[in-house]
């Protein structure tokens, strides 16, 4: 028999958080035990319009939620400032975090890995939980061996706080593992309008587009002699991230260290 995994969600009232609430409450071997949201403290989820009809208490304080409930896994879908704090609180309570929040620095990830190791607790941070996006990153890494001139264009809804996206940074990191460091473009080029060339990552360029109507999209463009290659992924709905989060919740229960990136838990 599969063991029931008790889950709490921070950012439960947000766009991703609401989707995660629906995913957890509709997964038979998951049990949602607390929803943490800055509003509606003390209410039940069933009292909130658009939320599943479940008698789960809402809190505005993660520490209190983890003290009053037995929790195995915390799903965090907030922002990088509070996301890091939430991971630290989860570790203090012996709870394994699964974090979709983006915008963590490499230092954050390193320090959080150390904390997980000291506590012997599993943790997963993934800047993108959509399987198609993982494939887009892997295919890009393959292509960069042969076509080292790369531009990444990421496009998101205009409410997004961080730029470039965690997925774009992760893609650049994966590409840089196989790509010979190279300064792209004309050495004489001049930016007439500041920012026109985008952000630089080891000579590659990253461009962030923000528009209403978009969800989460990325193109990785490669140029070679007489040819170009474009690898594109589109998340057209936030449900695209839920199978990845579900897998991470199941997997984190078997881990005793921090894993960064969904690609590292997919067989
Ligand atoms: P959102 O709609 O703004 O949701 C964030 C939620 O966090 C809001 O409800 C916010 O409440 C809440 N919050 C802020 N501080 C909090 C705290 N201290 N305790 C509890 N809740 C708190 O944003 P979103 O689109 O859902 O995205 C959330 C995060 O997931 C972002 O970092 C985004 O980049 C990331 N994301 C990741 C993936 C992935 O696959 N990994 C995919 C999409 C998005 P208020 O409204 O009151 O501030």
């Amino acid at each position: 028999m599969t063991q029931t995994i008790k889950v709490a969600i921070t950012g439960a009232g947000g766009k991703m958080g609401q989707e995660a609430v629906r995913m957890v409450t509709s997964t038979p071997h998951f049990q949602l035990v607390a929803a943490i949201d800055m509003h509606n403290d003390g209410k039940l989820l069933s009292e909130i319009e658009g939320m599943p009809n479940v008698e789960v208490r809402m809190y505005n304080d993660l520490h209190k939620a983890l003290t009053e409930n037995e929790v195995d896994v915390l799903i965090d879908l907030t922002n990088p400032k509070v996301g890091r704090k939430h991971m630290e609180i989860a570790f203090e309570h012996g709870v394994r975090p699964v974090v979709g929040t983006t915008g963590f620095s490499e230092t954050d990830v390193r320090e959080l890995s150390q904390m997980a190791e000291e506590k012997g607790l599993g943790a997963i941070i993934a800047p993108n939980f959509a399987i198609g996006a993982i494939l887009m990153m892997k295919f890009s890494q393959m292509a960069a061996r042969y076509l080292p001139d790369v531009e990444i264009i990421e496009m998101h809804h205009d409410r997004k706080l961080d730029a470039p996206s965690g997925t774009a940074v992760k893609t650049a990191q994966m590409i840089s593992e196989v790509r010979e460091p190279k300064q792209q473009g004309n050495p004489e080029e001049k930016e007439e309008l500041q920012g026109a060339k985008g952000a630089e990552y080891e000579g590659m360029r990253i461009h962030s587009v923000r528009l209403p109507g978009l969800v989460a999209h990325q193109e990785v463009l490669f140029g070679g002699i007489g040819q170009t290659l474009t690898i594109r992924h589109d998340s057209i709905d936030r449900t695209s991230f839920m199978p990845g989060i579900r897998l991470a919740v199941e997997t984190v229960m078997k881990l005793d260290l921090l894993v960064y990136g969904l690609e590292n838990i997919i067989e």
Side-chain angles (χ1 to χ4, degrees):
M1 208 181 74
T2 320
Q3 199 201 338
T4 299
I5 302 175
K6 296 189 172 71
V7 179
I9 300 176
T10 34
K15 294 182 281 296
M16 283 289 284
Q18 289 186 37
E19 208 54 68
V21 164
R22 284 190 276 277
M23 181 277 286
V24 170
T25 53
S26 63
T27 302
H29 59 289
F30 290 178
Q31 184 191 353
L32 184 66
V33 292
I36 300 93
D37 173 50
M38 296 316 284
H39 321 276
N40 304 308
D41 183 40
K43 286 195 179 166
L44 296 176
L45 270 178
S46 53
E47 297 172 57
I48 312 296
E49 208 190 317
M51 287 289 197
N53 188 20
V54 287
E55 307 257 303
V56 171
R57 206 204 122 150
M58 300 186 80
Y59 293 83
N60 63 2
D61 177 356
L62 176 61
H63 180 69
K64 188 171 176 200
L66 298 186
T67 305
E68 291 187 1
N69 298 278
E70 199 186 306
V71 178
D72 298 312
V73 176
L74 173 73
I75 299 176
D76 184 81
L77 296 159
T78 56
N79 63 62
K81 235 199 227 150
V82 295
R84 176 175 171 144
K85 187 79 206 138
H86 288 164
M87 287 189 75
E88 291 174 10
I89 295 172
F91 288 142
E92 275 168 36
H93 286 263
V95 172
R96 296 170 148 82
V98 165
V99 178
T101 300
T102 57
F104 287 112
S105 67
E106 285 180 25
T107 310
D108 283 330
V109 176
R110 202 174 40 249
E111 289 173 0
L112 288 160
S113 290
Q114 238 166 35
M115 286 177 216
E117 208 175 307
E118 277 161 24
K119 293 274 180 188
L121 279 172
I124 295 173
I125 303 176
N128 204 314
F129 276 110
I131 180 70
I134 304 307
L135 292 171
M136 176 259 296
M137 289 189 253
K138 287 200 173 229
F139 295 157
S140 300
Q141 193 183 41
M142 276 169 77
R145 275 184 196 278
Y146 308 99
L147 298 167
D149 287 82
V150 191
E151 302 249 347
I152 298 170
I153 306 173
E154 58 95 340
M155 294 154 276
H156 282 83
H157 60 90
D158 62 346
R159 302 290 90 202
K160 187 168 175 61
L161 291 175
D162 52 320
S165 72
T167 306
V169 174
K170 179 80 184 161
T171 308
Q173 285 167 349
M174 285 174 67
I175 287 176
S176 73
E177 285 167 20
V178 301
R179 171 183 174 271
E180 285 294 318
K182 171 176 188 193
Q183 200 60 39
Q184 295 177 188
N186 189 332
E188 304 290 315
E189 78 187 1
K190 218 168 104 219
E191 219 178 33
E192 302 293 354
L193 209 54
Q194 200 195 346
K197 290 297 307 294
E200 193 194 306
Y201 189 102
E202 294 191 4
M204 287 176 265
R205 294 289 176 168
I206 305 179
H207 311 264
S208 297
V209 177
R210 298 289 176 266
L211 283 173
L214 294 170
V215 179
H217 318 259
Q218 181 167 296
E219 278 186 7
V220 187
L221 279 73
F222 297 89
I225 298 167
Q227 60 183 323
T228 63
L229 170 68
T230 303
I231 299 171
R232 179 175 173 122
H233 175 260
D234 297 274
S235 271
I236 49 177
D237 189 280
R238 290 181 179 83
T239 48
S240 62
F241 305 112
M242 296 306 133
I245 297 183
R246 185 185 289 122
L247 176 70
V249 170
E250 289 162 353
T251 308
V252 81
M253 292 300 291
K254 301 170 210 151
L255 297 175
D256 57 6
L257 45 72
L258 185 148
V259 172
Y260 182 70
L262 185 69
E263 65 282 6
N264 296 314
I265 63 165
I266 291 173
E267 283 174 30

